[in-house]
Amino acid sequence: MSASRENQFRALANSALGPVASYVRRRLFPLTEADLDDVISETLSVAWRRFDAVPDADVAWMIGVARNVLRNQQRARRRRDAAESRVRPSDVSSSAEDVVVADDAVRRALARLSEGDREVLLLSAWDGLSTDEIARALSLSRDTAAVRLSRATSRFRELLTVS
């Protein structure tokens, strides 16, 4: 990596660290706060390795990398928990929505959305990403991201009024 590209990566990492950490922290469940540093570190490592291959890397791209790293960590945690539960029963804990979303109707509506709808809706509402940024974060075209966000918003509103 050239010195200027390295400086570009450092600038991106510095500007993206806050939004990426916020994104990960809100979606950390079932991982713990202790896992936050590991997810951020792995995100930076993956971004460093792939940085030269991505011409327009930005904060939304970094959130997309973090999203993939977080999902991998969560899958590993679920497999580990499943293996442990076969050995001994585990305590039931609250979901992330139970902790974060105080309004029961909103929590129920969010829980009834598909994972994809919930993800695109929360990227917009919680993370404040624009449609273009959502498209980059999820590796979608802008039009596909706009359609998914529109449909997810409609489904959420419908579920919210039914609750």
Side-chain angles (χ1 to χ4, degrees):
M1 184 177 287
S2 71
S4 85
R5 203 67 177 138
E6 184 176 328
N7 288 337
Q8 288 174 338
F9 178 79
R10 286 177 197 250
L12 173 62
N14 287 334
S15 68
L17 190 57
V20 167
S22 295
Y23 172 87
V24 172
R25 184 172 281 115
R26 283 190 295 272
R27 290 162 177 82
L28 202 55
F29 185 82
L31 304 177
T32 66
E33 280 291 318
D35 297 313
L36 179 64
D37 288 338
D38 292 339
V39 173
I40 298 298
S41 176
E42 180 64 18
T43 297
L44 289 171
S45 177
V46 169
W48 173 259
R49 287 192 309 268
R50 294 187 48 215
F51 191 68
D52 279 337
V54 180
D56 297 327
D58 60 4
V59 174
W61 177 76
M62 289 286 287
I63 287 175
V65 172
R67 177 178 179 259
N68 291 333
V69 169
L70 183 59
R71 290 174 113 188
N72 287 339
Q73 295 276 349
Q74 289 169 329
R75 269 193 299 276
R77 174 63 183 259
R78 284 192 297 273
R79 285 192 300 266
R80 196 169 44 249
D81 288 350
E84 287 177 3
S85 71
R86 288 189 294 268
V87 177
R88 67 178 189 281
S90 62
D91 295 330
V92 176
S93 60
S94 299
S95 71
E97 288 87 6
D98 288 337
V99 174
V100 176
V101 182
D103 184 355
D104 192 50
V106 172
R107 182 192 57 77
R108 284 195 314 264
L110 282 172
R112 292 176 60 196
L113 285 173
S114 70
E115 183 179 334
D117 281 353
R118 190 170 38 250
E119 180 70 16
V120 73
L121 192 63
L122 295 180
L123 280 169
S124 175
W126 282 2
D127 296 304
L129 295 185
S130 69
T131 304
D132 289 334
E133 292 169 326
I134 292 170
R136 285 194 301 277
L138 300 179
S139 300
L140 303 170
S141 72
R142 185 199 183 291
D143 291 340
T144 301
V147 168
R148 285 191 184 178
L149 180 58
S150 175
R151 288 179 180 167
T153 302
S154 296
R155 285 191 272 270
F156 176 72
R157 284 185 183 139
E158 183 178 305
L159 290 170
L160 197 54
T161 59
V162 171
S163 295

